[in-house]
Amino acid sequence: FKALQEVADATGYPVVGLHNATQSLVNDVVEAVRQKLGYATKDPSVRALTEYLKTGLELKRELVLIAHRQGALVIAVALQNVVTDMRKSGMSDTQIERKLKAISVETYGGVTNGFPSGPHYKHYINCKDALPKLIGPGATTIGQLITRARQLGMDHFEPGVRNNAEVHQVD
């Protein structure tokens, strides 16, 4: 709660925290793999964020999402859920991207390298952190293969961070 208040104080934005519960190292790894492959569309944190995003977009609010590590996966899957629902309602890709421009996403040490087009993305990677370079925004071959595998079950999923993204490497 202290960290959330510090973010609110620093940005001037109202802040809502979303906790992705930790159960154990093994369960967290299994959950991350499921999210990475696109099979976790109904996990509690993903479901909560999906509803929050849909409501915020309906109310035409500017939304800023900030995530660390696995939180980037939660954001990617929730955004994909929103895109899928918009498609089912008959919206075109252009309309969807236009609507999603109200969203900005910042990730820190994120462990996914694929997000839907539309939002503005800023990704921060510690040069000494292997995971974001392996399976996150700085992904190399292994990350690209995981992204392709995930694309098989995802509608409108963009590989990599080319879609309106900034990637910052820090040490």
Side-chain angles (χ1 to χ4, degrees):
F1 291 112
K2 182 181 177 195
L4 293 174
Q5 187 59 56
E6 288 173 359
V7 170
D9 293 344
T11 62
Y13 288 115
V15 173
V16 175
L18 178 64
H19 179 69
N20 187 30
T22 298
Q23 313 224 338
S24 72
L25 179 59
V26 173
N27 287 342
D28 286 352
V29 169
V30 169
E31 179 184 57
V33 168
R34 288 179 61 244
Q35 288 171 335
K36 194 82 175 143
L37 295 174
Y39 297 112
T41 58
K42 295 191 185 332
D43 286 354
S45 56
V46 170
R47 215 174 40 237
L49 183 57
T50 299
E51 291 308 311
Y52 181 80
L53 291 170
K54 286 169 36 176
T55 300
L57 290 169
E58 285 171 16
L59 296 173
K60 298 184 188 254
R61 290 193 178 139
E62 179 183 332
L63 301 168
V64 179
L65 307 176
I66 301 171
H68 176 253
R69 277 296 209 237
Q70 190 179 352
L73 272 169
V74 171
I75 288 174
V77 176
L79 284 169
Q80 184 57 51
N81 287 347
V82 170
V83 168
T84 299
D85 288 350
M86 288 177 174
R87 278 216 167 136
K88 286 179 183 174
S89 75
M91 290 178 73
S92 71
D93 289 349
T94 304
Q95 291 170 315
I96 292 169
E97 282 190 39
R98 194 174 311 125
K99 192 158 188 145
L100 293 180
K101 287 194 183 301
I103 300 172
S104 296
V105 176
E106 287 187 23
T107 67
Y108 296 85
V111 291
T112 189
N113 69 336
F115 294 87
S117 293
H120 178 76
Y121 298 98
K122 283 186 186 178
H123 304 287
Y124 296 89
I125 304 169
N126 184 322
C127 295
K128 295 177 179 135
D129 187 353
L131 277 178
K133 294 168 105 179
L134 185 66
I135 59 174
T140 54
T141 307
I142 292 172
Q144 303 291 335
L145 291 174
I146 291 170
T147 296
R148 284 193 194 102
R150 186 173 176 216
Q151 274 183 286
L152 296 175
M154 301 293 272
D155 192 25
H156 195 68
F157 183 82
E158 293 291 334
V161 293
R162 62 189 162 100
N163 48 35
N164 200 22
E166 300 173 33
V167 178
H168 303 278
Q169 296 209 20
V170 298
D171 58 15

